[in-house]
C-alpha cells in the first residue's frame, strides 16, 4: 500500500479521469475525498454510457475508503468549505488533485464573455483557489503532493481561446506552486492528457475522434486509467524528486514535428 494513511482530495472525482485517479489512489490505501458538483458520474454519448455507480461506492467495493463532498469549483466559498470540512474531519491534506474541468472548442467570435469566464473560473481560477486553501495543510504533510490535470492543448493552438489558454495557465501555475512548496518538501506537477475516453468528448464529432486516433502514434484513445496510473506515480514516494513538470500522457500525439 503505497499511500497508506494519506488523505487525498480529487476534484471532479465523480466521472472520467478524476474517477480513475480516485480509484487508483484509494487502491493504494489513500482515503479519497471525491469532490464534485454532482455525485452521479457523467454519462457520455460515446464513452461512459453505462457508468452509474458513484465513485465512493466503487471505492468501497474495492475495499478502499472514500467520502463524497459536494463542491463547485467556480465558487470560492464552496472550495474553502471543501478544504475546511476535510481538515476538520481528517486533520490533514496530503494530496490535492485539481482535475475538475469543462471543455468547449469555439473560436473568439463564437465564445461569449460569459462562456469564457465560466470555463476559466472552473479550469484555472478553481485550481488556484483549491491550491490556495489546501497549501497550508499540504505544507505540514511529509509527503505533500499537488497534481494538476492540464491538457495537450496547453502547448498548441487549435483548442479554442478559453480551453487551451486555461490549460496553458495551469501548466505555468504548476511550476509556480512547485517553487512555493519545495522548501516544505512537497511536489507540484501537471499531467497533460491526450484524448481520453470520457464524457467530455461529447464536444467532439465522430470524425474528430477518428482523426485523433489516426494522429496518435500508439493508435487508440487514452483510457481514464492511463491518467489514473500516472497520477498514482506522481503521488507516490517514487516521484519524490520530481516537481514542476508537465507529464504528457498522450500515446505520442505531441511527438511528431507539427509540420510533418
Ligand atoms: N478526456 C479528455 O480527452 C481530456 C483530455 C485532456 C484533458 N482533460 C482534462 O481532464 C479533466 C477531467 O476531464 P474528464 O475528461 O474526466 O471529463 P468529465 O466530464 O468526464 O469529468 C469532469 C468532472 O468534473 C466535474 N465538474 C465539472 N464542473 C465542475 C465544477 N464547477 N465543480 C466541481 N466539479 C465539476 C463533473 O461533474 C465531472 O464529474 C478536465 O480538467 C479536462 O479538461 C480531459
Amino acid at each position: 500500500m503505497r499511500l497508506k494513511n494519506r488523505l487525498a482530495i480529487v476534484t471532479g472525482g465523480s466521472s472520467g479521469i478524476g474517477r480513475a485517479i480516485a480509484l487508483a489512489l484509494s487502491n493504494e490505501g489513500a482515503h479519497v475525498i471525491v469532490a464534485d458538483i454532482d455525485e452521479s458520474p457523467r454519462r457520455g454519448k460515446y464513452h461512459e454510457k453505462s457508468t452509474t455507480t458513484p465513485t465512493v461506492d466503487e471505492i468501497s467495493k474495492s475495499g478502499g475508503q472514500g467520502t463524497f463532498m459536494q463542491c463547485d469549483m467556480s465558487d470560492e466559498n464552496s472550495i474553502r468549505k471543501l478544504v475546511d470540512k476535510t481538515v476538520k474531519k481528517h486533520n490533514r491534506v496530503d494530496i490535492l488533485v485539481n482535475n475538475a474541468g469543462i471543455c468547449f472548442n469555439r473560436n473568439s467570435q463564437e465564445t461569449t464573455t460569459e462562456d469564457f469566464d465560466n470555463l476559466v473560473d472552473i479550469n484555472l481560477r478553481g485550481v488556484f483557489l483549491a491550491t490556495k486553501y489546501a497549501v497550508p495543510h499540504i505544507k505540514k504533510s511529509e509527503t505533500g503532493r499537488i497534481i494538476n490535470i492540464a491538457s495537450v492543448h496547453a502547448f498548441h493552438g487549435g483548442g479554442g481561446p478559453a480551453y487551451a489558454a486555461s490549460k496553458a495557465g495551469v501548466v505555468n501555475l504548476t511550476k509556480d506552486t512547485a517553487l512555493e512548496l519545495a522548501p516544505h518538501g512537497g511536489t507540484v506537477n501537471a499531467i497533460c492528457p491526450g484524448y481520453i475516453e470520457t464524457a467530455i468528448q461529447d464536444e467532439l464529432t465522430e470524425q474528430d475522434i477518428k482523426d485523433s486516433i489516426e494522429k496518435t502514434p500508439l493508435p487508440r484513445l487514452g483510457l481514464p486509467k492511463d491518467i489514473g496510473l500516472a497520477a498514482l506515480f506522481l503521488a507516490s514516494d517514487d516521484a519524490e524528486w520530481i516537481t514542476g513538470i508537465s507529464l504528457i500522457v498522450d500515446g505520442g500525439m505531441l511527438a511528431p514535428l507539427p509540420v510533418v
Side-chain angles (χ1 to χ4, degrees):
M1 288 277 180
R2 286 189 274 174
L3 303 179
K4 201 165 184 276
N5 297 327
R6 294 186 204 175
L7 189 289
I9 298 175
V10 180
T11 72
S14 291
S15 321
I17 291 173
R19 179 182 176 87
I21 294 173
L23 287 165
L25 302 185
S26 68
N27 275 339
E28 288 293 336
H31 185 120
V32 179
I33 306 297
V34 175
D36 206 295
I37 200 157
D38 195 350
E39 185 165 16
S40 302
R42 286 192 66 204
R43 297 165 72 178
K45 63 180 179 196
Y46 307 117
H47 315 297
E48 311 278 20
K49 285 188 204 164
S50 52
T51 308
T52 51
T53 318
T55 304
V56 289
D57 292 359
E58 208 63 49
I59 289 174
S60 304
K61 273 203 248 164
S62 347
Q65 290 180 295
T67 309
F68 175 75
M69 286 193 196
Q70 216 239 348
C71 180
D72 178 355
M73 295 307 292
S74 66
D75 176 352
E76 178 166 8
N77 229 352
S78 182
I79 297 170
R80 190 183 319 113
K81 276 191 198 148
L82 166 70
V83 176
D84 285 354
K85 268 166 66 183
T86 300
V87 173
K88 205 166 170 199
K89 194 163 167 215
H90 298 276
N91 212 20
R92 62 191 302 128
V93 180
D94 301 288
I95 302 163
L96 168 66
V97 183
N98 283 308
N99 161 80
I102 60 167
C103 177
F104 57 80
N105 183 356
R106 298 171 211 144
N107 68 26
S108 71
Q109 302 311 295
E110 298 155 349
T111 302
T112 66
T113 310
E114 197 183 22
D115 290 341
F116 183 91
D117 287 348
N118 183 40
L119 185 143
V120 172
D121 278 354
I122 298 168
N123 289 17
L124 180 58
R125 183 173 174 268
V127 175
F128 160 66
L129 289 171
T131 300
K132 179 180 175 64
Y133 290 111
V135 155
H137 309 288
I138 294 177
K139 275 182 182 172
K140 294 184 201 151
S141 169
E142 285 180 6
T143 52
R145 298 282 188 271
I146 299 179
I147 299 165
N148 295 326
I149 306 304
S151 166
V152 286
H153 285 295
F155 306 107
H156 295 282
Y163 185 74
S166 76
K167 294 303 186 180
V170 168
V171 165
N172 194 279
L173 182 60
T174 300
K175 294 180 194 179
D176 196 78
T177 319
L179 299 179
E180 185 177 339
L181 262 196
H184 306 275
T187 73
V188 186
N189 294 295
I191 297 175
C192 296
Y195 283 28
I196 311 294
E197 290 188 3
T198 74
I200 220 170
Q201 293 205 339
D202 283 10
E203 274 295 312
L204 304 175
T205 63
E206 287 186 39
Q207 192 58 44
D208 293 334
I209 294 178
K210 251 178 100 183
D211 291 348
S212 83
I213 295 171
E214 269 166 27
K215 285 183 194 145
T216 302
L218 298 172
R220 64 167 172 84
L221 290 173
L223 299 172
K225 80 165 181 354
D226 292 319
I227 309 303
L229 293 171
L232 171 60
F233 166 65
L234 290 174
S236 75
D237 293 350
D238 293 339
E240 69 176 11
W241 205 57
I242 298 175
T243 200
I245 67 153
S246 293
L247 177 61
I248 296 166
V249 182
D250 69 345
M253 191 186 234
L254 292 192
L257 264 180
V259 287
V260 176

